[in-house]
Amino acid sequence: MRWGDMDAYGHINNVQIVRMLEEARIAAFGPPQGAGLPGIEPPVSLFNDVPDGTLALVVDHKIRYVRTLEYRNVPAVVQLWIGAVKGASFDIHYLLQDPVSGEDCVKASSHLAFVDEATGRVQRLTQEQKDRMAPYRH
């Protein structure tokens, strides 16, 4: 959480919550190729190992704000796991918790697909991609 993430009500703004979910997703599954310079390997190398010309795109987000997340000077806790895996798309689920009280603040999911950059067509998930996600499915 950043000091500037607070809104006029004193809690973390909903737009910043989406940013926090994105940061957690990238930390867990890696940044897309061509984004920044190399860093540490993510726990699950999913987005940074797609073929050249493949985009990892968010199809939609669903967010439920269970309670406000008040600013604290410690990182929030975000749990991630893989939900449904379909032929050409998959879901990532999030649970964002207050880092001190442990209370659930946000329950969310992102529906993603890999898209061919040149054609704009959705690509089917490979068996290797499905296998990488399997240990993290709930």
Side-chain angles (χ1 to χ4, degrees):
M1 289 184 274
R2 301 176 309 180
W3 178 258
D5 292 344
M6 279 188 293
D7 61 16
Y9 297 116
H11 61 260
I12 304 301
N13 182 273
N14 68 85
V15 172
Q16 298 308 323
I17 295 289
V18 175
R19 181 192 53 80
M20 292 168 71
L21 299 177
E22 176 184 56
E23 291 293 336
R25 182 173 67 247
I26 297 303
F29 300 114
Q33 288 185 358
L37 296 174
I40 61 170
E41 281 296 310
V44 181
S45 187
L46 182 61
F47 298 132
N48 59 339
D49 278 348
V50 296
D52 287 338
T54 301
L55 307 174
L57 299 180
V58 172
V59 176
D60 75 13
H61 292 295
K62 292 182 182 174
I63 303 170
R64 181 168 178 248
Y65 299 96
V66 179
R67 65 180 326 109
T68 60
L69 177 61
E70 304 296 329
Y71 172 78
R72 297 183 186 273
N73 63 347
V74 293
V77 176
V78 183
Q79 296 180 41
L80 289 92
W81 63 95
I82 302 290
V85 176
K86 299 178 182 170
S89 63
F90 59 100
D91 294 332
I92 297 176
H93 293 269
Y94 314 84
L95 177 61
L96 195 154
Q97 298 172 305
D98 182 290
V100 175
S101 71
E103 293 177 300
D104 295 350
C105 296
V106 176
K107 295 178 180 181
S109 65
S110 299
H111 189 73
L112 292 98
F114 293 119
V115 175
D116 183 283
E117 185 176 25
T119 66
R121 292 190 174 146
V122 174
Q123 297 178 334
R124 295 194 63 75
L125 295 173
T126 65
Q127 189 58 49
E128 181 183 352
Q129 290 167 330
K130 291 177 182 179
D131 291 346
R132 283 187 189 174
M133 290 186 245
Y136 306 96
R137 288 189 64 192
H138 289 250

